[in-house]
Amino acid sequence: MIEQAQEELDGFVALLESLGVTVTRPDAVDHRRRFATPDWTSRGFCNTCPRDSMLVIGDEIIETPMAWPCRYFETHSYRSLLKDYFRRGARWTAAPRPQLTDELFDGSFRIPKEGEPMRYILTEFEPVFDAADFVRAGRDLFVTRSNVTNRMGIDWLRRHLGPATGSTRSRAGAVRPCTSTRRSRCSPPARCW
């Protein structure tokens, strides 16, 4: 199965390159290797979703503070690319690294039943967010709170971007409740507040 997937990927890359597209790939990483912080140990997850771990706003690339321990070092496979973009003029920012201790997660969390109010597994212990929970429309940046993005993460990004950027306005989107960890599985923002 892996060989077939690699063949398909190589064919897709060849097609893109034949059309004049420059294709860059992340560095190889052994995701079976264990890593640790003082509070937990984990193995890697994957590096196939840069839209989750990096948010691009104008000429700035922001490494996101992801909520899953297995994704803590996910951007390491993109370090060569990040350094290259930085050398060529991009701004490179890393949001505060979360501790990811038990205080971040609501131990009594359960998925709400139909008709119950939306609730999330994340507390407001520290800022966490996935870039996939953000959608840009013109100068507006919409965000959906989710089970991988908390209010504190939204507030951190809003303060980081601040009014000085002038090119982006952040807005918290109110959408149909979504229990998914993926923004792409939820409806787009319906209104802002």
Side-chain angles (χ1 to χ4, degrees), residues 93-172:
T93 303
R97 285 272 183 215
Q99 292 174 283
L100 302 181
T101 59
D102 290 344
E103 289 90 348
L104 178 62
F105 305 97
D106 178 356
S108 65
F109 173 79
R110 65 175 177 74
I111 295 173
K113 294 180 180 162
E114 190 171 327
E116 291 183 331
M118 188 60 202
R119 60 184 154 268
Y120 304 94
I121 196 167
L122 297 175
T123 67
E124 300 303 322
F125 176 70
E126 60 190 342
V128 291
F129 61 89
D130 271 25
D133 279 334
F134 293 81
V135 174
R136 186 168 181 172
R139 289 181 49 224
D140 293 321
L141 185 63
F142 294 89
V143 60
T144 299
R145 187 172 168 215
S146 72
N147 284 314
V148 292
T149 297
N150 64 9
R151 281 191 188 117
M152 203 168 178
I154 296 166
D155 289 343
W156 181 90
L157 187 62
R158 184 177 285 134
R159 290 179 199 176
H160 173 74
L161 294 175
T165 61
S167 62
T168 305
R169 299 179 296 225
S170 59
R171 306 207 184 254

